[in-house]
């Protein structure tokens, strides 16, 4: 298959706000080593992490093509690639997926093969599920192994990762205390299994948590908000509680003395998904488990809104402005 000389991408060349996002054409990637793979993308899941790269909170070489996950069709492979062939449909994790074509330079990158007859809807779902779904799944098993009967705090409970966390934690028999900013979002969390809900913009979170837990506090807080919720999460924890801080939607946590963890012997983690799926065995285990949970109906997942690639700026504004619930994805022009 001959590829076009250029393709459309969404990138940024300097750090900043929405104005630095560009929808533009760049040279199409080519096979340059025996291990290269080129995928023609169909859908690419949208994740909050792109805001961190755009603003410079997370560092990356510039220009930076956005995107961390996608689905599509393999259109070119290097001579040493023996686990994929041209024509294979796949879903995968890799940087640079907000593009018509993505080049992967490692034939053992994280991917699953999809059936040859995979539908457009299949491509949408599988191209959008892994980053957030696996983040939640690995966190409840490794960052803090949730136990039945515990009280667990989940911030942004109607967001992409939040919806997974609510369901997974509830399935493990624990009591989810879901936090969100509107009644609509709290209703979504409740429908997914949250036992208690708190509007963190209108209620005293720590007081409500203490009321729900008979003054004890929660066993763990899964906090994706960052700067403005750090103290609230810390104060809501029980003695020997675990603080899982995994996002910066309000900005990075302000540096603090470690001694703030001492009064209640609190554990604090700042995990990332990649650290839990580093090996092929880990990827196989968790990706299979996630798909089984979805296929068996134990975890609900759908794409709440699809944007065209050229409209990523609007998608970013909607996501970062807390105007959305669940998963957003980009349809890549063919």
């Amino acid at each position: 298959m001959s590829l076009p000389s250029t393709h459309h991408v969404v990138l940024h060349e300097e750090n900043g706000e929405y104005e630095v996002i560009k929808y533009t054409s760049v040279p199409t990637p080519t096979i340059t080593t025996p291990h290269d793979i080129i995928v023609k993308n169909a859908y690419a899941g949208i994740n909050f992490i792109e805001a961190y790269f755009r603003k410079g909170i997370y560092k990356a070489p510039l220009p930076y093509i956005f995107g961390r996950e996608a689905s599509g069709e393999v259109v070119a492979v290097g001579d040493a690639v023996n686990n994929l062939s041209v024509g294979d449909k796949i879903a995968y994790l890799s940087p640079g997926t907000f593009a018509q074509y993505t080049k992967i330079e490692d034939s053992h990158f994280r991917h699953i093969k999809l059936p040859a007859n995979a539908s457009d809807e299949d491509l949408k779902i599988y191209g959008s599920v892994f980053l957030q779904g696996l983040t939640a799944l690995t966190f409840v098993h490794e960052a803090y192994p949730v136990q039945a009967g515990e009280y667990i705090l989940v911030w942004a409970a109607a967001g992409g990762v939040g919806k997974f966390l609510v369901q997974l934690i509830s399935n493990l028999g624990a009591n989810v205390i879901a936090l969100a900013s509107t009644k609509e979002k709290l209703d979504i969390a409740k429908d997914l299994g949250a036992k208690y809900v708190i509007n963190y913009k209108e209620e005293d979170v720590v007081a409500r948590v203490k009321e729900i837990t008979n003054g004890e506090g929660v066993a763990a807080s899964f906090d994706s908000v960052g700067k403005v919720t750090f103290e609230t999460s810390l104060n809501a924890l029980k003695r020997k509680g675990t603080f899982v801080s995994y996002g910066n939607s309000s900005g990075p946590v302000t540096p603090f003395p470690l001694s703030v963890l001492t009064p209640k012997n609190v554990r604090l983690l700042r995990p990332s998904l990649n650290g839990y799926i580093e090996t092929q065995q880990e990827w196989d285990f968790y990706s299979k488990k996630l798909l089984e949970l979805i296929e068996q109906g134990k975890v609900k997942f759908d794409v709440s809104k699809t944007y065209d690639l050229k409209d990523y700026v609007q998608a970013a504004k909607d996501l970062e402005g807390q105007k959305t619930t669940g998963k957003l994805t980009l349809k890549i022009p063919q």
Side-chain angles (χ1 to χ4, degrees):
M1 177 186 294
S2 61
L3 305 185
S5 59
T6 63
H7 70 133
H8 287 104
V9 304
V10 177
L11 53 71
H12 74 296
E13 297 172 317
E14 58 182 324
N15 297 129
E17 295 300 329
Y18 305 114
E19 72 278 358
V20 303
I21 300 172
K22 293 183 178 180
Y23 176 70
T24 187
S25 293
V26 299
T28 303
T30 58
I31 298 292
T32 55
T33 81
H35 297 283
D36 289 349
I37 295 163
I38 297 174
V39 181
K40 183 180 182 182
N41 295 316
Y43 289 92
I46 298 171
N47 298 285
F48 212 105
I49 193 172
E50 304 308 335
Y52 307 153
F53 282 113
R54 188 187 78 234
K55 295 176 181 180
I57 296 171
Y58 293 171
K59 304 301 179 185
L62 299 175
Y64 172 84
I65 297 175
F66 296 106
R68 313 297 290 179
E69 65 183 337
S71 62
E73 181 180 339
V74 176
V75 291
V77 297
D79 292 341
V81 176
N82 54 25
N83 58 341
L84 286 169
S85 303
V86 170
D88 283 346
K89 292 182 178 180
I90 65 170
Y92 67 99
L93 299 180
S94 172
T97 60
F98 288 7
Q100 288 179 287
Y101 295 90
T102 299
K103 175 178 172 177
I104 299 111
E105 299 176 349
D106 175 9
S107 58
H108 296 290
F109 70 110
R110 302 291 166 252
H111 72 278
I112 63 161
K113 284 187 184 180
L114 301 175
N117 62 350
S119 66
D120 184 73
E121 185 65 20
D122 292 334
L123 289 167
K124 181 190 294 187
I125 294 297
Y126 291 119
S128 310
V129 71
F130 280 111
L131 198 70
Q132 292 176 342
L134 291 179
T135 294
L137 185 60
T138 57
F139 282 12
V140 302
H141 286 284
E142 299 207 36
Y144 179 73
V146 173
Q147 304 297 313
E150 293 180 325
Y151 290 88
I152 307 292
L153 204 59
V154 176
W155 290 87
V161 176
K163 289 172 76 172
F164 277 111
L165 285 171
V166 169
Q167 295 178 84
L168 292 168
I169 292 167
S170 298
N171 289 347
L172 290 167
N175 303 295
V176 173
I177 304 174
L179 297 168
S181 59
T182 67
K183 182 181 183 301
E184 176 202 8
K185 292 179 179 180
L186 292 173
D187 286 344
I188 289 171
K190 193 89 171 175
D191 288 342
L192 292 174
K195 192 165 183 179
Y196 306 95
V197 296
I198 300 174
N199 185 323
Y200 65 80
K201 289 196 172 180
E202 298 178 357
E203 301 178 74
D204 183 325
V205 173
V206 175
R208 282 283 288 125
V209 165
K210 292 295 177 67
E211 178 186 333
I212 291 166
T213 62
N214 294 317
E216 187 174 31
V218 293
S221 176
F222 289 89
D223 189 337
S224 61
V225 182
K227 182 177 182 177
V228 302
T229 57
F230 179 80
E231 286 192 17
T232 303
S233 276
L234 194 62
N235 292 332
L237 288 169
K238 64 188 278 190
R239 184 177 63 88
K240 298 194 289 186
T242 298
F243 189 154
V244 182
S245 177
Y246 70 96
N248 316 283
S249 64
S250 68
V253 172
T254 303
F256 61 92
L258 286 174
S259 57
V260 302
L261 307 177
T262 302
K264 293 190 288 189
N265 281 8
V266 167
R267 298 182 185 90
L268 173 65
L269 296 89
R270 188 61 169 79
S272 73
L273 169 61
N274 287 339
Y276 292 131
I277 57 168
E278 181 71 24
T279 70
Q280 188 66 45
Q281 182 180 17
E282 289 169 334
W283 164 259
D284 290 344
F285 175 80
Y286 281 116
S287 60
K288 181 180 178 182
K289 188 174 182 67
L290 177 65
L291 295 180
E292 284 176 350
L293 288 167
I294 293 171
E295 289 161 4
Q296 292 168 3
K298 294 179 180 178
V299 170
K300 297 175 184 175
F301 174 77
D302 62 351
V303 174
S304 59
K305 191 166 183 180
T306 302
Y307 300 78
D308 289 333
L309 181 65
K310 64 181 175 59
D311 296 327
Y312 173 62
V313 170
Q314 187 59 54
K317 289 179 178 179
D318 290 348
L319 178 63
E320 295 167 42
Q322 297 184 318
K323 297 176 181 177
T324 64
T325 60
K327 186 65 182 188
L328 310 181
T329 198
L330 292 175
K331 185 174 178 62
I332 311 299
Q334 300 299 297

